[in-house]
Amino acid sequence: IDGRVETFWHTARGARASLPPHEVVIALGGEYTVRGFRYLPRQDGKTDGMVGRYSFYVSEDGKDWGKAVATGTFSRDIAEQEVTFPGKEDSFVRFVAHSEINGKPWTSVAEITVLGVR
């Protein structure tokens, strides 16, 4: 979420790797009608950590997440992938990676862009 495609977030690898699910929680800094998100895999030519199966949540307080507003599976494409859903008004989002496309126990993300209006 730093706006730089050459950087990415990655969970621990090797002996320190923890099994999925892995998650990223974003405080939106106010109330927004969230209607989707874009996921950009790492852009350095490697597929390590590319998200396979995911779920996405929206919350008022960042604690009570309720039911996922979107679930699915991303393709192996390194291009940005967009997921939309009916708008939900709240202040926090949570992206959960349930699997990695190669079956590895780690996750990486170059960018997550939240789609919404204030």
Side-chain angles (χ1 to χ4, degrees):
I1 59 175
D2 64 0
R4 299 175 53 203
V5 300
E6 67 274 7
T7 63
F8 58 91
W9 168 78
H10 202 301
T11 60
R13 292 182 283 192
R16 296 183 8 219
S18 62
L19 295 175
H22 301 120
E23 65 181 55
V24 175
V25 174
I26 301 169
L28 300 175
E31 205 164 88
Y32 289 82
T33 301
V34 179
R35 59 178 176 76
F37 70 96
R38 290 187 193 112
Y39 160 71
L40 181 69
R42 61 190 288 178
Q43 298 292 294
D44 64 351
K46 298 180 182 174
T47 61
D48 290 349
M50 283 180 72
V51 176
R53 197 168 49 85
Y54 69 85
S55 57
F56 194 84
Y57 299 81
V58 180
S59 170
E60 178 181 358
D61 60 7
K63 295 176 185 162
D64 179 20
W65 293 101
K67 185 178 175 187
V69 294
T71 60
T73 304
F74 289 122
S75 71
R76 290 181 168 271
D77 194 340
I78 63 164
E80 186 172 60
Q81 299 178 56
E82 184 173 295
V83 176
T84 59
F85 45 82
K88 184 168 190 249
E89 190 170 316
D90 277 317
S91 301
F92 293 84
V93 297
R94 180 174 141 211
F95 173 77
V96 180
H98 297 281
S99 68
E100 193 255 8
I101 62 165
N102 300 308
K104 306 290 185 179
W106 42 72
T107 300
S108 64
V109 176
E111 291 291 324
I112 294 178
T113 304
V114 178
L115 306 174
V117 295
R118 193 160 212 182

